[in-house]
Amino acid sequence: MKKRIIIGILLLMSFTFLFLLFNVRKEKLETNIPLDSKIVKELDAIAHPSEDATLLKELYQKNRITNLYQIATGINAYIKKQNDIPELITKDEALASVQTIFGANTFVEHQSVYLLNAYGCGYEFQKDTYEHILGCDGDQFSSFKRKIVVATKNENTITITEKVIYIYNDWDDTKNKVSIYNNAQKEKLLDYFETPSIEELQVNIEAYLDQASTYIYTFQKQNDAYIWIGFSPIDE
């Protein structure tokens, strides 16, 4: 009986040692990346083709990388490589660009997308071709404030941690009626205030950082390029 107890204790000590050794090794492999580094800025730009809430809601309301969001990031990346904004993009060109971001095994169901950025409204998909939409309005009432707080590298993987708040401005001719929430689902109201509508609305995320939602982006290096492999909210 005593021999079994001793063996059990030794096994427990061995597992504990291996667990601690694994975590120490993991901590040594994981290093912080400066938030203003070129790679962090590039990956953030890829993951956010637009700052307009029309597209960002597709990411933050659904808490995943949707089919539409993949197309938007792919088309945005494709346009950046062109000398001029293309009037037409074939579905094969769009898919090839999506695959440079999400991996060669990625396939999408083609559909019209809104970009609402420097490249215009977006692209309408019909007859196997994306056709440039010249103008449209974005989301006039909603917006997001984002801040990257941590970026780490572990072997061939980069992880970016981001804080986000959602702002809804129920404005009219006289007032900005501003509600600030911890996320796009409006789970928690962080603040409410009113200002004259003639004043430019200014919200500093720093004031709400502790209560903001947290999201993790994961990128993995494949063939000398980083592929976007994961996005998820983190409960805190």
Side-chain angles (χ1 to χ4, degrees), residues 39-121:
I39 186 62
V40 172
K41 290 180 179 179
E42 287 179 348
L43 294 177
D44 182 57
I46 288 171
H48 301 92
S50 174
E51 290 298 333
D52 192 279
T54 304
L55 181 58
L56 289 180
K57 282 181 178 178
E58 186 70 16
L59 185 68
Y60 294 123
Q61 278 190 338
K62 298 180 180 178
N63 285 334
R64 60 187 178 87
I65 309 169
T66 65
N67 180 81
L68 186 147
Y69 205 82
Q70 287 181 318
I71 296 171
T73 55
I75 287 181
N76 190 68
Y78 176 82
I79 298 171
K80 283 185 175 181
K81 296 178 181 179
Q82 312 306 310
N83 293 327
D84 298 303
I85 299 173
E87 291 300 318
L88 300 174
I89 301 173
T90 68
K91 69 175 185 179
D92 291 337
E93 289 170 332
L95 176 59
S97 188
V98 168
Q99 290 175 337
T100 64
I101 297 170
F102 298 98
N105 294 325
T106 303
F107 292 93
V108 295
E109 181 179 343
H110 293 282
Q111 63 184 110
S112 301
V113 294
Y114 290 105
L115 296 178
L116 295 156
N117 58 19
Y119 302 128
C121 176

Side-chain angles (χ1 to χ4, degrees), residues 2-227:
K2 289 183 178 180
K3 187 176 181 180
R4 290 181 179 178
I5 293 174
I6 293 172
I7 292 173
I9 293 172
L10 290 174
L11 287 173
L12 180 61
M13 291 175 63
S14 297
F15 286 129
T16 302
F17 174 76
L18 289 173
F19 176 78
L20 293 173
L21 184 64
F22 171 79
N23 280 277
V24 168
R25 183 175 181 272
K26 183 179 178 182
E27 289 177 3
K28 287 182 178 179
L29 289 173
E30 189 172 88
T31 57
N32 287 335
I33 308 172
L35 301 185
D36 60 352
S37 64
K38 181 181 178 181
I39 186 62
V40 172
K41 290 180 179 179
E42 287 179 348
L43 294 177
D44 182 57
I46 288 171
H48 301 92
S50 174
E51 290 298 333
D52 192 279
T54 304
L55 181 58
L56 289 180
K57 282 181 178 178
E58 186 70 16
L59 185 68
Y60 294 123
Q61 278 190 338
K62 298 180 180 178
N63 285 334
R64 60 187 178 87
I65 309 169
T66 65
N67 180 81
L68 186 147
Y69 205 82
Q70 287 181 318
I71 296 171
T73 55
I75 287 181
N76 190 68
Y78 176 82
I79 298 171
K80 283 185 175 181
K81 296 178 181 179
Q82 312 306 310
N83 293 327
D84 298 303
I85 299 173
E87 291 300 318
L88 300 174
I89 301 173
T90 68
K91 69 175 185 179
D92 291 337
E93 289 170 332
L95 176 59
S97 188
V98 168
Q99 290 175 337
T100 64
I101 297 170
F102 298 98
N105 294 325
T106 303
F107 292 93
V108 295
E109 181 179 343
H110 293 282
Q111 63 184 110
S112 301
V113 294
Y114 290 105
L115 296 178
L116 295 156
N117 58 19
Y119 302 128
C121 176
Y123 282 80
E124 182 180 2
F125 182 72
Q126 55 182 350
K127 297 180 180 178
D128 293 340
T129 303
Y130 287 91
E131 183 175 349
H132 191 223
I133 303 171
L134 294 178
C136 60
D137 294 326
D139 192 325
Q140 302 297 309
F141 293 92
S142 302
S143 61
F144 292 88
K145 289 286 185 180
R146 310 184 295 107
K147 182 179 181 180
I148 295 174
V149 291
V150 178
T152 60
K153 183 177 181 180
N154 191 333
E155 295 183 335
N156 66 338
T157 302
I158 288 179
T159 301
I160 294 176
T161 304
E162 173 192 64
K163 292 283 189 175
V164 179
I165 57 173
Y166 172 65
I167 304 163
Y168 184 78
N169 183 8
D170 187 18
W171 56 270
D172 55 32
D173 292 339
T174 59
K175 290 182 180 180
N176 290 313
K177 293 168 280 188
V178 184
S179 299
I180 301 177
Y181 297 91
N182 65 320
N183 56 31
Q185 291 75 24
K186 300 182 180 180
E187 290 181 338
K188 184 177 181 182
L189 179 66
L190 305 182
D191 201 0
Y192 176 83
F193 60 87
E194 297 181 359
T195 63
S197 59
I198 59 173
E199 292 184 4
E200 182 180 356
L201 180 62
Q202 295 184 348
V203 176
N204 187 352
I205 191 174
E206 297 290 343
Y208 309 99
L209 210 57
D210 290 343
Q211 301 180 78
S213 291
T214 306
Y215 298 89
I216 299 292
Y217 299 74
T218 306
F219 302 86
Q220 189 175 79
K221 197 168 189 179
Q222 297 179 14
N223 299 323
D224 298 324
Y226 280 96
I227 303 302

